[in-house]
Amino acid sequence: MFRIKPSNTNQADDSASRDAKVSELRAGLGPLSGRSLKFCTDPCLRRYLEAQNWNLDKAKKMLEETLKWRSTFKPEEIRWHEVAHEGETGKVSRANFHDRLGRTALIIRSGKQNTSCPEGNIRHLVYLLENAILNLPEDQEQISWLIDFNGWSLNTNVSIKTARDIIYMMQNHYPERLAIVVLYSPPRFFKAFWKVVKYFIDTKTFEKIKFVYPNNKDSLELMKSFFDTENLPSEFGGKATLNYDHEEFSRLMAQEDIKTAKFWGFDDVAVHTNGNNGYSKAEVTPVAVPVSVASAAS
């Protein structure tokens, strides 16, 4: 039978209804100020409503929990020198390329795990998430994750508890931020780990997780639909080279910290990186830093 196309009127009504929900959610939150006001943009409210299938009460509760979490965790205050040691091996970093829609990409190299501190791992990931989001184009709300399993083993993997905490954080405090999560060529023994953690993942997030294998035609077509193979590192079936330089990435993140402080209205003093990839207080003029780091988490 003929399929009836939705009319422009119906689409307009739906759009108006959602705009009204956004206004209702904002009113329900009550007066906001400071960082909470900066955080709760209309697109932000839409993401929380979308995550809860436009259920106003559930979205309000979810957003209030996030505001409470942000007030204590303070993700916008994390600076690179606090988490730089976690990134020495390049286990998580921001890519120097974007996906086909111009979205920021994070690369996670599971075999490069270098610490066993859950709090440190999570703070490092949160820092890079916030930075990835800050670098999104104005018309984009989501980021892409590429997870490389080269060198991965149960010894280098994060614990089940840490994985669960990261999943909870992403789903509840960064809803609708994930465009796609690529698990590239995971080994067979990853299945045991996956069987446990997948039960912590909600349906919407689960649908964004893609297992990609280099010898699978459908997998390769999926990668091509999201990424330009000319920019994609060879670890993910592309033609580019993945070469993480920690000192160079640290210089880039020092400049990013200045941008973060400006965005959130902090009166931070610009800083130099020292030989330990930390900071020494000194007022400097920001300089352009070449992003040749070809590596990058609802």
Side-chain angles (χ1 to χ4, degrees):
M1 297 297 291
F2 296 108
R3 179 177 295 177
I4 300 175
K5 296 182 179 180
S7 68
N8 291 335
T9 301
N10 289 339
Q11 292 177 348
D13 288 344
D14 187 55
S15 178
S17 174
R18 294 189 171 190
D19 287 344
K21 281 285 183 70
V22 171
S23 297
E24 287 182 63
L25 177 54
R26 184 172 297 283
L29 292 171
L32 298 172
S33 61
R35 301 178 202 179
S36 294
L37 180 60
K38 183 80 172 176
F39 179 75
C40 291
T41 61
D42 281 358
C44 172
L45 269 55
R46 285 180 177 275
R47 285 189 291 102
Y48 279 80
L49 285 162
E50 180 68 32
Q52 296 295 344
N53 295 314
W54 294 86
N55 183 297
L56 188 60
D57 292 336
K58 290 182 178 180
K60 178 175 177 289
K61 181 179 179 181
M62 187 183 196
L63 183 49
E64 287 174 339
E65 287 297 319
T66 292
L67 293 176
K68 185 185 299 182
W69 173 77
R70 293 185 71 89
S71 70
T72 56
F73 197 91
K74 301 184 187 307
E76 69 279 358
E77 291 187 18
I78 303 173
R79 295 295 178 262
W80 178 247
H81 73 279
E82 301 171 18
V83 297
H85 64 285
E86 292 283 351
E88 288 178 351
T89 58
K91 64 184 177 186
V92 186
S93 55
R94 198 184 86 202
N96 70 336
F97 61 89
H98 299 82
D99 67 16
R100 289 192 180 277
L101 294 180
R103 296 175 294 211
T104 314
L106 290 183
I107 290 183
I108 300 174
R109 305 167 80 185
S110 301
K112 299 291 185 179
Q113 181 60 248
N114 61 328
T115 66
S116 58
C117 175
E119 294 80 8
N121 273 289
I122 291 174
R123 279 177 63 81
H124 178 236
L125 177 60
V126 167
Y127 172 87
L128 289 166
L129 278 171
E130 293 282 320
N131 180 258
I133 291 167
L134 188 62
N135 281 279
L136 280 170
E138 289 186 6
D139 62 338
Q140 296 293 346
E141 287 285 306
Q142 297 182 316
I143 61 178
S144 296
W145 280 24
L146 291 164
I147 302 179
D148 170 26
F149 281 88
N150 184 40
W152 182 88
S153 69
L154 293 176
N155 292 329
T156 60
N157 193 46
V158 297
S159 68
I160 294 289
K161 182 182 183 304
T162 301
R164 183 190 63 191
D165 291 344
I166 290 172
I167 292 167
Y168 177 88
M169 178 188 71
M170 289 300 303
Q171 292 178 167
N172 291 277
H173 302 317
Y174 294 92
E176 296 300 312
R177 279 299 192 189
L178 291 176
I180 186 174
V181 180
V182 173
L183 305 181
Y184 196 85
S185 195
R188 289 184 178 180
F189 51 88
F190 174 74
K191 291 181 179 179
F193 180 79
W194 177 247
K195 283 181 179 179
V196 178
V197 301
K198 70 179 183 180
Y199 291 106
F200 305 134
I201 304 173
D202 65 31
T203 303
K204 285 193 173 185
T205 304
F206 194 87
E207 291 174 350
K208 297 175 182 178
I209 299 173
K210 308 297 181 183
F211 283 75
V212 175
Y213 298 94
N215 296 321
N216 182 286
K217 183 179 178 181
D218 291 338
S219 289
L220 295 178
E221 290 302 316
L222 175 71
M223 290 297 286
K224 289 179 181 178
S225 69
F226 275 88
F227 300 96
D228 183 346
T229 55
E230 294 294 329
N231 299 325
L232 200 63
S234 57
E235 284 82 353
F236 299 98
K239 300 178 181 179
T241 300
L242 178 61
N243 181 26
Y244 178 80
D245 184 319
H246 187 57
E247 289 189 5
E248 186 175 359
F249 194 74
S250 293
R251 288 194 293 271
L252 171 63
M253 291 299 103
Q255 297 300 316
E256 290 294 303
D257 282 351
I258 296 171
K259 184 165 66 175
T260 298
K262 183 178 180 180
F263 177 82
W264 289 103
F266 297 138
D267 189 22
D268 282 15
V269 177
V271 292
H272 286 296
T273 56
N274 62 33
N276 296 318
N277 297 314
Y279 293 120
S280 59
K281 289 288 182 180
E283 189 170 354
V284 297
T285 301
V287 296
V289 179
V291 189
S292 61
V293 185
S295 58
S298 108

